[in-house]
Amino acid sequence: MPHDFMPGLAGVPAARSKISDVDGQAGILEYRGIRIEDLAANSTFLETSYLLLFNRLPNGTALDAFTADVMSHRRIKFRITDLIKCLPEHGHPMDALQAAVAALGMFYPGRNVRDTHNNYWSAVRLIAKQPTIVAAFARVRHGDDAIAPRDDLGFTANFLYMLSDREPDTLVAGVLDACLILHAEHTMNASTFCGLVTASTLADPYTVVASSIGALKGPLHGGANEEVVAMLREIGSTDRVQAVIDEKLRAKTPIMGFGHRVYKVKDPRAVILQRLAQTLFAHCGKSPLYALAEEVERACLERLAEKKVYPNVDFYSGIMYEQMGIPPDTFTSIFAMARVSGWLAHWLEQMKENKLYRPDQIYEGDHGRRYIPLDQRA
Ligand code: ACO
């Protein structure tokens, strides 16, 4: 049956889902029916991951068991560390993460994606091991040793420890954990869809997550957080904001961290991130980029509000991560560490009722052309 062509599949449903919902006009995001504001204020990343995966808030016993499972699977095989050591030091951390996650699948070869036991442990491993991989690449590319997880540290504090080899700051770890909650899930976005297309072939979950990581890396999706900080550095001072934004708009260059396919108001995650940024800055000093970012937001409001283009989740996150001592090219990997829970929730949901993705196209090429031998071509 012929359908209208929708570039970028805008507005075309690709699945039925019970995982999350966005009201793009009202600026409301819910995970399993719970408002994101509520989760960011009261939950933890691991509890939110459980909610996304299993559609219920865990009781104390269930949360302890899930947390213990994740904690005990944070280590990576020495061959994965060796693989990471072989990657070029100037390579992008998202490429290192994608390579290492794809390689993980070779160590855990259970291919039966109908096996719920196997699927649970695959999900646990993917959530548990990504921070270890991200921290390992961040260190070995500078010639430092990768650091093993510490059993006495929670999920996010341990990541900061493995990254910096310093005792993690409790407040910073708490703010980062809330950031992970905000990034954990977001309906049918490009990386989730990409993973589901791979999953629809019944590929294993490591391959599914590796394909999602590839889609997340691009600057129109998760890669925007790194680009925002680069843009703010390029602007340099508040008195240049208006001129640089005007120049970018004249050249039709997108303002990074602005605009969204679904939100027609300010992204609620950006609003929460700004509040978290105040807590972070009160504790460890204000980022000089923050005032610049606020000025960019003001300038864009004047110029882009009529198009309903407002800050998205990527606009303020990088500024906060940088203030936590995280290198800019690692920002998107942190996004992946969080979004893996959403990818996996969608994968588990789809495995219950899978159908191979095989869309159609509108062919606009020629028919019936003749093959011309090489020596007769003009
Ligand atoms: N800067 C300037 N103008 C913009 C921006 C922006 N960031 N975003 C949208 N617009 C304008 C477009 O130029 C277009 O104007 P026009 O109608 O005069 O041609 C109008 O708003 C509609 O934009 P579209 O490109 O049709 O919107 P689409 O839904 O395809 O794009 C996207 C969404 C890709 C996110 C876009 O807003 C963008 O490129 N943003 C910058 C990159 C970014 O921040 N990505 C992260 C998104 S959040 C996430 O993935 C986690």
Side-chain angles (χ1 to χ4, degrees):
M1 192 197 299
H3 293 278
D4 288 341
F5 171 51
M6 301 302 292
L9 298 182
V12 178
R16 293 180 195 278
S17 181
K18 293 181 175 164
I19 300 168
S20 67
D21 190 38
V22 173
D23 181 335
Q25 302 295 337
I28 295 173
L29 169 62
E30 292 174 331
Y31 295 171
R32 300 288 191 182
I34 303 178
R35 288 279 287 259
I36 190 70
E37 291 80 2
D38 206 0
L39 290 167
N42 299 307
S43 186
T44 61
F45 172 66
L46 284 189
E47 185 186 59
T48 295
S49 297
Y50 187 103
L51 171 73
L52 290 168
L53 293 171
F54 308 117
N55 192 15
R56 58 182 182 274
L57 282 170
N59 63 21
T61 312
L63 182 59
D64 287 349
F66 181 64
T67 303
D69 288 345
V70 171
M71 295 307 173
S72 59
H73 283 83
R74 290 181 294 184
R75 282 177 169 65
I76 51 175
K77 307 257 187 203
F78 76 87
R79 284 183 193 280
I80 295 285
T81 310
D82 286 351
L83 178 146
I84 292 169
K85 282 183 189 161
C86 292
L87 298 171
E89 63 270 29
H90 299 302
H92 197 280
M94 283 292 275
D95 293 333
L97 180 63
Q98 187 182 38
V101 166
L104 274 185
M106 299 169 80
F107 289 94
Y108 308 103
R111 289 284 183 263
N112 181 5
V113 291
R114 309 276 188 216
D115 177 342
T116 50
H117 182 258
N118 197 36
N119 287 354
Y120 173 78
W121 289 108
S122 300
V124 163
R125 281 189 207 105
L126 280 159
I127 293 169
K129 292 185 195 303
Q130 284 207 102
T132 315
I133 293 168
V134 172
F137 184 68
R139 293 186 62 79
V140 301
R141 67 176 166 158
H142 296 306
D144 296 325
D145 286 333
I147 295 176
R150 232 172 71 187
D151 292 340
D152 62 317
L153 291 175
F155 184 85
T156 307
N158 177 62
F159 168 67
L160 289 170
Y161 161 69
M162 291 190 298
L163 197 63
S164 67
D165 196 17
R166 284 195 298 273
E167 201 56 33
D169 183 294
T170 308
L171 184 134
V172 173
V175 170
L176 182 57
D177 199 73
C179 293
L180 297 184
I181 293 173
L182 296 177
H183 287 82
E185 160 60 9
H186 207 245
T187 74
M188 194 52 65
N189 54 82
S191 56
T192 300
F193 181 54
C194 180
L196 289 182
V197 171
T198 305
S200 79
T201 69
L202 302 185
D204 64 277
Y206 304 92
T207 307
V208 169
V209 170
S211 31
S212 291
I213 291 169
L216 186 70
K217 181 190 171 193
L220 295 188
H221 191 13
N225 56 11
E226 184 184 337
E227 302 282 333
V228 168
V229 167
M231 177 184 77
L232 294 174
R233 292 221 180 286
E234 174 203 330
I235 295 174
S237 62
T238 44
D239 57 332
R240 278 177 31 82
V241 166
Q242 309 264 349
V244 175
I245 296 298
D246 281 336
E247 182 47 40
K248 283 187 185 296
L249 294 179
R250 240 192 319 274
K252 297 202 174 306
T253 308
I255 312 298
M256 285 299 160
F258 276 77
H260 199 276
R261 177 65 58 78
V262 183
Y263 289 118
K264 298 305 158 205
V265 294
K266 187 167 173 176
D267 186 329
R269 300 166 298 176
V271 176
I272 304 170
L273 282 172
Q274 279 184 280
R275 279 203 291 272
L276 289 167
Q278 299 317 316
T279 309
L280 181 72
F281 297 158
H283 184 67
C284 56
K286 190 168 180 178
S287 163
L289 294 184
Y290 190 76
L292 212 49
E294 284 186 315
E295 194 56 34
V296 169
E297 183 176 348
R298 267 192 291 277
C300 287
L301 201 62
E302 286 165 14
R303 293 157 175 81
L304 291 170
E306 61 175 349
K307 291 185 183 175
K308 302 189 188 308
V309 171
Y310 296 97
N312 59 50
V313 70
D314 288 325
F315 192 61
Y316 286 104
S317 59
I319 300 170
M320 297 170 65
Y321 296 159
E322 195 175 58
Q323 205 64 359
M324 295 176 187
I326 296 167
D329 65 358
T330 302
F331 297 167
T332 313
S333 305
I334 292 172
F335 196 153
M337 275 163 42
R339 184 56 61 85
V340 70
S341 297
W343 293 331
L344 290 165
H346 283 273
W347 166 66
L348 289 172
E349 184 173 68
Q350 183 171 292
M351 285 306 98
K352 290 182 191 147
E353 210 172 298
N354 187 57
K355 188 166 172 71
L356 177 74
Y357 276 104
R358 204 312 179 186
D360 208 347
Q361 63 169 7
I362 296 167
Y363 179 65
E364 293 179 336
D366 296 325
H367 288 286
R369 289 171 77 186
R370 213 170 49 83
Y371 178 80
I372 302 167
L374 182 59
D375 60 1
Q376 293 172 26
R377 288 177 213 160

